[in-house]
Amino acid sequence: MKKILVMAALAICSFANAQKGTILVGGNISYTSEKSEYRFSEDKTSTFTFSPKVGYQFNDNWTVGGEFAVSSSNNETTAGIEEKNNNFKLGAFVRYSVPLSQTFAVFADMGAGFQTQKDKVYGPGNAFSKYKGDGMYVGVTPALFINMKKGFGLNFSIGGLGYETLSYDNNGADYSKFYFNFGQTFNIGISKNF
C-alpha cells in the first residue's frame, strides 16, 4: 500500500510540473532517406530536420511560445544532377492541452510564421544555378503527451493540417501547399516542463 501511495505522490508531483507558470522546452529531430530506381538511373534523396520550441504555460491548459525549424536536403541523380535545399522557419505557436490522467494528455499546437528556402542545383560539367524563396506557414498538429517523470515526456503525433507558401526571387515560381496528412506521418518528440 505504501508503494502505491508513493507512486501516486510522485506521479502527482511530476504532473504538477506541467501546470501554470512553467516553461516548456521541446522539439523533434528527423532524418529521411529515399531511393528511386528507374530502368537506367536512380535518384537518392536525404533530408535532415531539427525543430525545437520554447513556450510559457500561462494557464493550466494554454501555452504560448516560439518555434523554429532548420531543414537540409540533398538529391543526387545518376544523370549528374545534384540539388541541395536549405529551409528555415521562424514563428510562434499556441498549445491547448487537456490532461486525461496523471500520465496522459492530449494537445493541439497551432503554429504560424515566416519561412525561407535556398536551392542550389549543380548540373553536369560546371552548370550551376541557385534560387531563393520567402513565404509563410501555418499549421495545426494534434498530439498525445506521455508524462515519463518530473515533467519530462514524449509527444506522439500522426499528422496535421497546414498551409505553406514560397515566392521565389527573379520572377521565379510561386509555390503554395495545403496538406491534410492524418495517418500518413508519424512523429515522436520530447518535451520538458521546468
Side-chain angles (χ1 to χ4, degrees), residues 145-164:
F145 172 76
I146 300 175
N147 189 12
M148 303 303 283
K149 189 175 183 182
K150 297 183 180 178
F152 174 79
L154 297 175
N155 304 314
F156 295 92
S157 67
I158 57 167
L161 171 72
Y163 180 74
E164 298 181 1

Side-chain angles (χ1 to χ4, degrees), residues 119 130-134 166-176:
D119 303 333
K130 64 180 180 177
Y131 311 95
K132 182 180 181 285
D134 297 323
L166 277 173
S167 179
Y168 282 90
D169 296 343
N170 302 322
N171 296 320
D174 289 334
Y175 161 84
S176 64

Side-chain angles (χ1 to χ4, degrees), residues 40-162:
F40 298 110
S41 65
E42 67 181 25
D43 292 349
K44 293 180 184 176
T45 304
S46 58
T47 305
F48 174 79
T49 304
F50 174 61
S51 55
K53 59 176 60 180
V54 177
Y56 176 72
Q57 189 162 349
F58 64 91
N59 181 291
D60 286 342
N61 300 97
W62 291 95
T63 304
V64 66
E67 63 184 4
F68 77 90
V70 178
S71 179
S72 177
S73 67
N74 188 30
N75 182 7
E76 297 178 8
T77 68
T78 53
I81 299 172
E82 181 179 9
E83 183 177 348
K84 295 183 178 185
N85 303 319
N86 293 308
N87 184 280
F88 178 77
K89 295 180 180 180
L90 178 64
F93 76 94
V94 63
R95 173 180 289 186
Y96 182 74
S97 58
V98 177
L100 301 175
S101 69
Q102 294 175 346
T103 305
F104 298 100
V106 292
F107 66 87
D109 279 354
M110 183 177 127
F114 168 80
Q115 71 173 338
T116 183
Q117 182 163 316
K118 295 180 180 178
D119 303 333
K120 296 179 181 177
V121 180
Y122 302 90
N126 292 328
F128 173 76
S129 58
K130 64 180 180 177
Y131 311 95
K132 182 180 181 285
D134 297 323
M136 53 79 63
Y137 73 93
V138 62
V140 176
T141 307
L144 173 69
F145 172 76
I146 300 175
N147 189 12
M148 303 303 283
K149 189 175 183 182
K150 297 183 180 178
F152 174 79
L154 297 175
N155 304 314
F156 295 92
S157 67
I158 57 167
L161 171 72

Side-chain angles (χ1 to χ4, degrees), residues 138-139 160-165 175-182:
V138 62
L161 171 72
Y163 180 74
E164 298 181 1
T165 65
Y175 161 84
S176 64
K177 173 183 174 183
F178 173 78
Y179 61 89
F180 180 81
N181 60 3
F182 290 103

